[in-house]
């Protein structure tokens, strides 16, 4: 008969059951031993399971719970101990950092770009892990992370979740990050107690969707002067106002509007005429936005305007900085002489009412021909904006992968991914190819989760040195002096219903994360 | 509300004017002050084209023309810090003195009031950079026997040295030193802000 032994920190165990899970939450071994007098004071130690020539060690396990339990057959009492694997240490520590910040054009700043593997290494190093294996983590994606004094393990769990990976504590005491669905299969050998049971799960989606943020368009938009009706507060083009002077706006001093006789209207004119301008169309008077075929019936579909341009600038230190929208056009620049400057960038401050597409200048901005006659200026604002379709739905990055079988759509939200288009002087610059490639990588990653291996379950006589990986989700070793030693393991699902499920563990981790932020 | 709050910084030293000329006031026109009132808390000058009555200072329109209709308003400057002002023709050069002329919006040469700084340009009309100086003395001619201790009309004479002619403008000056016959050159000086004859040609 094969020799079976189990011990914890050198103390022989009578019974033991240990379900090893993936993730950051430590797995718990339930073991029992003969009580010893006095308080139980066992330092963190090694749990060793031996079955013939097979030895499985779990280093650094800590006794978390101990209680007495009677044993029926000999009416004796035993210590029942709950031992948590060394991931208990991961509940401590913190990390800060922000990586893969997207520039306004959707690209990542090279200065702080990190691959998932680099991010995971950073976190695992902070957790004290030596030589973790992150080599299998996906490349070609750059998930945005912002850690502000957060627990590194929880940050690692979120990171791995976002790139379809699992954190695995291996039997070699080394942490490996496995992509879901990848890794060695359950072994088929003589110790199998019965044929491996397999199930092709039907509860899977028919398609995967990567959903990015709304697309950003940088356009040169036309500004038209507007005013307001004091009675209603409504905005109107200046020639449609009820108090247009009899000689028109162009013969009125913009500093007094003496031709507006009603005091209330005159105050409204001083407030707004030649100071407020509204976006009405593209600079060429058309409505369609370069970069999208979405039907545009009104400039309202551009709103809200964004407060930063798609194009970024570099500081002298080489750091990318956002740029603000600017007004450009033909207008009198308050020079000593009459006459408009041509295609001049307005250099003073102005307020942009983003949700209404209105630009408010602190003083009148007007046109003046070279003989001193006032005229309507030609003003445009170079600004980034989204586009809504006629039903109000924003145009956004959406990449779809159809799977075989299944039902419904599984949405992968990647808010840091968005397309951008910059139209300037008839040319169009976009990031579509790069951002779609990155989105498609996410589709590849998550497709493996639904089109990969079937759910399989196996039971082995004795202790089998099976480690979880991207495919094997759970392994349980159990046995004792009064029961035979077995090993159970499953691929692509967790069989042990007595354990909190992966979903429950994640929920618990989120709760801990919330507590952390209080 | 303070209307000055609404002006662009470039116009902080400007004054509000109302056009009473019945004509479009071109940019940088020389303007006579007809009257001054306070409208809505703002000093407002009614202006018109210079006429035969001499004024010690004139307003100069800004770069925006002022419409002709009654009540049309604009912003003007006294140009004491310098700026563009219309001139009628010729070639104003630095250091010359040009001044207002009755019946026109532009400066004319050999007249008092504006010291040329150079920098001519054309904005509908020829303009030149100049600074306005308050007039303190004038050359004139008596229009009648100017009895001592009376105020009489004096024609202002302008022109190149030795070729002075009547300017078309006049003013009333007080004579405090001796009776001066008609049609004699006199010097008028502003003392205590008022014009006095201070010298006169003795012989005809």
């Amino acid at each position: 008969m094969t020799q079976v032994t189990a011990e914890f920190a050198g103390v022989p165990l009578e019974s033991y059951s240990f379900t090893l899970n993936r993730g950051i939450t430590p797995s718990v071994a339930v073991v029992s031993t003969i009580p010893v007098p006095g308080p139980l004071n066992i330092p963190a130690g090694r749990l060793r399971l031996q079955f013939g020539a097979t030895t499985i060690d779990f280093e650094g396990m800590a006794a978390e719970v101990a209680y007495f339990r009677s044993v029926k057959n000999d009416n004796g009492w035993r210590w029942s101990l709950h031992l948590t694997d060394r991931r208990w240490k991961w509940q401590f520590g913190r990390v800060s950092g922000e990586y893969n910040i997207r520039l306004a054009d959707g690209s990542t700043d090279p200065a702080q770009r990190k691959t998932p593997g680099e991010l995971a290494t950073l976190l695992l190093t902070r957790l004290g892990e030596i030589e973790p294996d992150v080599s299998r983590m996906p490349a070609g994606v750059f998930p945005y992370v912002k850690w502000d004094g957060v627990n590194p393990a929880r940050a690692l769990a979120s990171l791995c979740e976002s790139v379809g990976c699992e954190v695995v504590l291996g039997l070699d005491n080394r942490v490996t990050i496995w992509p879901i669905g990848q890794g060695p299969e359950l072994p088929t050998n003589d110790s199998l107690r019965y044929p491996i049971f397999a199930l092709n799960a039907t509860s899977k989606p028919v398609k995967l969707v990567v959903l990015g943020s709304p697309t950003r368009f940088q356009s040169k938009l036309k500004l038209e002067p507007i005013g307001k009706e004091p009675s209603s507060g409504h905005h109107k083009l200046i020639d449609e106002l009820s108090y247009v002077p009899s000689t028109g706006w162009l013969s009125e001093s913009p500093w007094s509007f003496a031709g507006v006789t009603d005091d209330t209207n005159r105050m409204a004119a001083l407030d707004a005429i030649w100071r407020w301008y509204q976006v009405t169309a593209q600079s060429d008077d058309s409505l369609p936005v370069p970069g999208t075929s979405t039907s545009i019936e009104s400039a309202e579909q551009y709103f809200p305007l964004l407060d930063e341009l798609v194009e970024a600038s570099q500081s002298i230190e080489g750091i990318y900085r956002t740029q603000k929208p600017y007004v450009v056009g033909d207008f009198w620049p308050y020079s000593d002489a009459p006459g408009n400057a041509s295609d001049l960038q307005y250099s003073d401050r102005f307020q942009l009412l983003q949700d209404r597409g209105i630009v408010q200048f602190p003083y009148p901005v007007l046109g003046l021909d070279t003989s001193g006659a006032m005229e309507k200026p030609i003003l445009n604002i170079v600004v980034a904006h989204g586009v809504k379709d006629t039903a109000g739905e924003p145009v956004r990055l959406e990449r779809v992968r159809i799977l075989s079988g299944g039902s419904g759509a599984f949405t992968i939200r990647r808010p840091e991914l968005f397309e951008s288009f910059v139209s300037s002087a008839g040319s169009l610059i976009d990031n579509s190819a790069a951002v779609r490639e990155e989105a498609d990588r996410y589709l590849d990653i998550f497709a493996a989760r639904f089109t990969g291996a079937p759910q399989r379950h196996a039971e082995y006589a004795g202790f089998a040195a099976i480690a979880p990986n991207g495919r094997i989700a759970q392994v349980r070793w159990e046995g004792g002096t009064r029961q035979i030693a077995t090993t159970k393991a499953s691929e692509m699902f967790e069989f042990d219903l007595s354990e909190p499920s992966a979903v429950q563990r994640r929920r618990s981790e989120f709760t801990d994360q919330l507590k952390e932020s209080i | 509300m303070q209307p000055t709050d609404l002006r662009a910084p470039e116009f902080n030293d400007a004054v509000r004017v109302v056009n009473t000329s019945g004509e479009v006031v071109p940019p940088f026109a020389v303007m006579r002050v007809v009257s001054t009132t306070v409208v809505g808390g703002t000093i407002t000058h009614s202006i018109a084209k210079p006429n035969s009555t001499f004024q010690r200072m004139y307003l100069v329109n800004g770069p925006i023309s002022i419409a002709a209709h009654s009540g049309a308003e604009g912003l003007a400057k006294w140009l004491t810090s310098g700026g563009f002002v219309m001139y009628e023709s010729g070639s104003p050069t630095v250091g010359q003195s040009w001044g207002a002329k009755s019946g026109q919006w532009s400066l004319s040469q050999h007249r008092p009031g504006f010291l040329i700084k150079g920098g001519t340009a054309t904005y509908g009309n020829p303009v030149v950079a100049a600074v306005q100086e308050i007039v303190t003395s004038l050359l004139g001619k008596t229009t009648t026997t100017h009895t001592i201790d009376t105020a009489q009309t004096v024609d202002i004479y302008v022109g190149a040295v030795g070729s002075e002619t009547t300017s078309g403008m006049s003013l009333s000056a007080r004579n405090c030193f001796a009776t001066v016959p008609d049609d004699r050159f006199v010097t008028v000086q502003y003392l205590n802000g008022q014009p006095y004859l201070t010298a006169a040609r003795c012989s005809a």
Side-chain angles (χ1 to χ4, degrees):
Chain A
M1 188 174 175
T2 309
Q3 175 77 25
V4 182
T5 60
E7 61 177 47
F8 169 59
V11 177
L13 303 176
E14 279 202 343
S15 67
Y16 36 87
S17 173
F18 182 28
T19 301
L20 183 60
N21 295 312
R22 301 181 297 196
I24 61 160
T25 299
S27 296
V28 179
V30 180
V31 303
S32 68
T33 185
I34 296 170
V36 293
L40 193 61
N41 188 15
I42 307 173
R46 181 179 64 201
L47 172 66
R48 167 165 285 181
L49 305 177
Q50 274 189 306
F51 183 82
T54 304
T55 300
I56 305 171
D57 286 337
F58 299 97
E59 303 290 344
M61 295 198 74
E64 290 287 332
V65 177
Y67 56 92
F68 277 118
R69 184 171 63 88
S70 68
V71 179
K72 269 186 180 177
N73 290 345
D74 60 5
N75 288 324
W77 289 90
R78 300 290 183 272
W79 280 110
S80 191
L81 301 176
H82 289 191
L83 311 176
T84 56
D85 72 37
R86 70 177 181 81
R87 285 174 286 184
W88 64 268
K89 297 175 188 169
W90 290 5
Q91 66 186 301
F92 307 116
R94 62 175 187 271
V95 66
S96 296
E98 189 173 13
Y99 300 98
N100 296 332
I101 298 170
R102 299 284 161 161
L103 302 177
D105 66 356
S107 64
T108 47
D109 184 348
Q112 32 88 332
R113 179 163 54 204
K114 287 194 185 295
T115 64
E118 290 170 330
L119 292 169
T121 300
L122 194 155
L123 293 168
L124 287 162
T125 303
R126 188 58 67 93
L127 290 169
E129 293 299 322
I130 298 165
E131 294 186 353
D133 183 0
V134 299
S135 61
R136 296 175 183 83
M137 292 190 80
V141 292
F142 301 94
Y144 168 71
V145 294
K146 184 177 183 181
W147 306 318
D148 185 11
V150 300
N151 175 265
R154 285 191 276 275
L156 180 66
S158 297
L159 170 68
C160 288
E161 194 171 52
S162 72
V163 294
C165 287
E166 291 283 354
V167 180
V168 173
L169 176 60
L171 301 187
D172 56 358
N173 199 34
R174 190 178 177 205
V175 173
T176 302
I177 310 294
W178 283 94
I180 294 172
Q182 289 186 24
E185 295 182 2
L186 290 170
T188 306
N189 53 36
D190 292 343
S191 61
L192 259 179
R193 298 188 69 187
Y194 43 76
I196 292 176
F197 178 76
L199 169 70
N200 284 311
T202 52
S203 59
K204 62 180 184 180
V206 71
K207 67 176 178 181
L208 301 178
V209 180
V210 169
L211 199 62
S213 287
T215 302
R216 297 181 189 184
F217 301 88
Q218 183 175 309
S219 306
K220 191 174 181 181
L221 303 178
K222 183 177 185 178
L223 293 170
E224 285 284 351
I226 61 167
K228 67 177 176 184
E229 292 288 355
S231 55
S232 64
H234 294 167
H235 294 168
K236 291 181 178 174
L237 295 172
I238 58 171
D239 288 333
E240 295 173 4
L241 291 164
S242 63
Y243 52 92
V244 179
S246 57
T247 52
W249 292 111
L250 295 177
S251 60
E252 283 295 316
S253 167
W255 293 277
S256 55
F257 293 111
V260 180
T261 50
D262 177 83
D263 280 350
T264 305
N265 290 338
R266 193 157 170 264
M267 292 296 283
L270 285 166
D271 248 2
I273 305 297
W274 305 122
R275 295 165 194 257
W276 292 8
Y277 289 81
Q278 174 149 7
V279 168
T280 57
Q282 298 284 313
S283 62
D284 62 0
D285 260 336
S286 66
L287 282 171
V289 178
T292 177
S293 57
T294 305
S295 170
I296 307 288
E297 296 174 357
S298 152
E300 187 76 25
Q301 289 174 249
Y302 304 158
F303 305 155
L305 304 178
L306 303 178
D307 66 353
E308 60 183 37
L309 296 181
V310 169
E311 293 171 305
S313 64
Q314 257 187 325
S315 71
I316 54 173
E317 299 90 359
I319 298 168
Y320 284 94
R321 303 287 188 201
T322 57
Q323 295 191 93
K324 290 291 176 190
Y326 60 90
V327 171
V328 64
D330 300 352
F331 58 94
W332 180 54
Y334 281 84
S335 56
D336 287 336
N340 292 334
S342 178
D343 203 27
L344 181 72
Q345 184 171 330
Y346 175 82
S347 57
D348 210 339
R349 68 194 185 282
F350 63 86
Q351 190 174 3
L352 177 62
L353 306 185
Q354 294 167 250
D355 56 339
R356 304 174 77 167
I358 292 174
V359 171
Q360 293 181 328
F361 296 106
Y363 48 81
V365 176
L366 43 99
L368 203 58
D369 72 16
T370 52
S371 65
M374 277 176 56
E375 59 186 15
K376 194 169 83 173
I378 298 169
L379 292 181
N380 300 293
I381 182 168
V382 176
V383 65
H385 58 91
V387 167
K388 292 181 198 144
D389 64 20
T390 49
E393 185 75 17
V395 173
R396 67 168 74 225
L397 173 72
E398 193 173 320
R399 301 290 287 173
V400 176
R401 175 80 49 86
I402 303 297
L403 306 176
S404 59
S407 175
F410 181 85
T411 302
I412 305 156
R413 294 181 188 279
R414 300 308 318 172
E416 77 271 26
L417 297 184
F418 58 88
E419 289 183 281
S420 67
F421 295 86
V422 177
S423 63
S424 175
S427 68
L428 189 64
I429 301 167
D430 69 84
N431 71 341
S432 290
V435 77
R436 289 180 185 193
E437 186 181 338
E438 188 170 352
D440 288 353
R441 280 292 296 128
Y442 280 105
L443 290 175
D444 296 339
I445 291 165
F446 283 87
R449 175 168 160 182
F450 296 108
T451 60
Q455 295 181 355
R456 304 204 309 160
H457 180 240
E459 185 170 327
Y460 303 85
F463 293 150
I466 300 171
N469 53 42
R471 182 189 303 267
I472 298 173
Q474 207 170 43
V475 183
R476 184 168 72 193
W477 298 272
E478 60 185 343
T481 53
R482 292 178 176 81
Q483 66 182 112
I484 61 168
T486 59
T487 304
K488 292 177 182 172
S490 59
E491 292 178 359
M492 305 307 289
F493 82 108
E494 293 184 341
F495 66 89
D496 192 343
L497 299 179
S498 65
E499 287 278 307
S501 68
V503 172
Q504 287 170 323
R505 293 196 301 275
R506 280 297 289 141
R507 196 170 292 149
S508 172
E509 288 158 14
F510 275 121
T511 309
D512 288 346
Q513 197 162 335
L514 286 175
K515 281 195 294 186
E516 195 174 53
S517 62
I518 294 172
Chain B
M1 174 185 287
Q2 295 298 312
T4 49
D5 291 344
L6 301 171
R7 296 175 187 169
E10 288 81 352
F11 278 90
N12 278 347
D13 61 345
V15 296
R16 183 173 167 180
V17 295
V18 179
N19 183 11
T20 61
S21 70
E23 299 176 25
V24 172
V25 182
F28 311 118
V30 179
M31 304 179 295
R32 163 176 66 96
V33 175
V34 176
S35 63
T36 299
T37 54
V38 177
V39 178
T42 304
I43 298 167
T44 304
H45 303 283
S46 293
I47 58 90
K49 200 178 273 188
N51 63 8
S52 60
T53 301
F54 176 77
Q55 293 187 346
R56 294 181 76 189
M57 291 190 82
Y58 290 86
L59 278 167
V60 177
N61 189 22
I64 304 174
S65 59
I66 304 173
H69 66 263
S70 173
E73 294 195 359
L75 291 179
K77 293 186 177 184
W78 291 108
L79 224 62
T80 49
S81 299
F84 282 130
V85 57
M86 271 178 72
Y87 70 94
E88 56 179 2
S89 61
S91 303
T93 54
V94 177
Q96 290 179 342
S97 182
W98 291 53
K101 186 176 179 180
S102 177
Q104 66 185 48
W105 296 112
S106 55
L107 296 179
S108 189
Q109 195 180 1
H110 299 305
R111 286 169 180 259
F114 291 82
L115 190 63
I116 302 300
K117 294 295 183 184
T120 58
T122 301
Y123 299 117
N125 298 291
V127 299
V128 63
V131 61
Q132 183 168 206
E133 298 174 318
I134 189 164
V135 175
T136 55
S137 58
L138 292 159
L139 180 65
K141 264 193 178 180
T142 51
T143 56
T144 182
T145 300
H146 204 147
T147 313
I148 189 168
D149 288 335
T150 64
Q152 298 289 346
T153 299
V154 175
D155 271 348
I156 297 168
Y157 268 61
V158 296
V161 175
S163 304
E164 297 86 355
T165 57
T166 180
S167 68
M169 291 175 153
S170 62
L171 77 168
S172 177
R174 187 167 179 81
N175 180 1
C176 289
F177 65 96
T179 296
V180 180
D182 182 22
D183 200 30
R184 295 289 175 88
F185 276 113
V186 293
T187 298
V188 178
Q189 285 191 316
Y190 283 85
L191 304 171
N192 301 325
Q194 298 158 97
Y196 290 88
L197 295 190
T198 55
R201 185 167 169 167
C202 298
S203 57

